[in-house]
Amino acid sequence: HEGAALRVVELTAHHYPAAFADGKRGGSLPVHTALQYQTQHERVASRVVELTAQHYPTAFAQVMLDGSLPVHAALQYQTQHEGVASRVVELTAQHHPAAFAHRILDGSLPVHRALQHQTQHEGVALRVVELTAQHHPAGFGLDVLGRKTLPLRLALENHTAGAIVLRRVVELTVVHYPAALNDAGLRASAREAGLGDALEAAGWGEGAG
């Protein structure tokens, strides 16, 4: 079935490329839909992303009714291969860097989605963390609707074995929102994750707080 879908995508690109800018009710474009189903049809999603970048790059700034951009969908539904999500993140950084400060209706930034849905490869989440630091550093202090979803907390709850992303989130939180470390529970969790050295460097040793 994926082969047939891919054929339709290629024929559409050839005969009616404007389709990639043709949204349906709800504001969603083909790229939104492709990203939501990328786990079942990764090759199709990848091709739709590239064709969208070619024919309608402003799609990466297109908002759906729930307030999400393509980058939110790419991060939420990313596969273990990360390829599609990685490409959407880079295209978003190129065409609509303000997306990294864009909150959807529940208040989430792309960094929240990236940390909640990061894969074992960590590359996509790390890139979104760095882009957030560049374009919206205040995001490290954003606790979505009071639901205890501070990026540092999400990183601690969802970090992978390598913990590269977690270490970077700790470092950036210290710089951009040090008040987060007033929370003894977060400091304890960071130490349990092997990041006591990062806390020491920030002045939060065992006896601090």
Side-chain angles (χ1 to χ4, degrees):
H1 292 102
E2 188 176 45
L6 198 56
R7 180 66 176 150
V8 170
V9 168
E10 296 296 352
L11 287 169
T12 301
H14 181 72
H15 296 289
Y16 184 52
F20 295 96
D22 190 2
K24 61 183 181 179
R25 187 173 299 176
S28 59
L29 297 167
V31 69
H32 290 102
T33 304
L35 290 170
Q36 288 172 337
Y37 292 96
Q38 65 177 294
T39 51
Q40 298 103 314
H41 304 291
E42 191 169 11
R43 285 195 304 154
V44 174
S46 178
R47 188 62 180 139
V48 171
V49 166
E50 295 300 337
L51 289 165
T52 300
Q54 178 182 341
H55 296 291
Y56 188 52
T58 56
F60 296 98
Q62 181 85 17
V63 180
M64 294 177 63
L65 279 183
D66 67 355
S68 66
L69 297 167
V71 69
H72 292 92
L75 293 167
Q76 181 170 345
Y77 299 103
Q78 66 180 295
T79 69
Q80 287 295 324
H81 298 111
E82 288 194 334
V84 175
S86 178
R87 184 66 175 138
V88 172
V89 167
E90 294 304 330
L91 287 166
T92 301
Q94 178 184 345
H95 296 292
H96 187 52
F100 297 98
H102 182 88
R103 298 170 65 173
I104 62 175
L105 292 186
D106 72 0
S108 297
L109 294 168
V111 71
H112 293 97
R113 290 285 176 87
L115 293 171
Q116 286 171 315
H117 301 283
Q118 64 179 300
T119 72
Q120 62 184 351
H121 303 296
E122 293 194 313
V124 170
L126 185 60
R127 182 67 173 137
V128 173
V129 165
E130 297 293 355
L131 287 165
T132 302
Q134 179 181 347
H135 296 290
H136 189 54
F140 292 97
L142 181 59
D143 195 353
V144 179
L145 299 180
R147 294 203 306 266
K148 294 188 175 180
T149 54
L150 200 69
L152 176 57
R153 188 181 299 278
L154 292 177
L156 286 163
E157 292 175 351
N158 299 288
H159 74 86
T160 62
I164 297 170
V165 174
L166 174 56
R167 178 171 291 276
R168 191 62 179 135
V169 172
V170 169
E171 293 170 350
L172 289 166
T173 299
V174 166
V175 172
H176 298 296
Y177 187 62
L181 294 172
N182 288 327
D183 187 319
L186 288 180
R187 296 200 308 274
S189 295
R191 289 193 184 96
E192 288 173 11
L195 292 170
D197 60 327
L199 295 178
E200 291 279 352
W204 287 99
E206 286 284 355

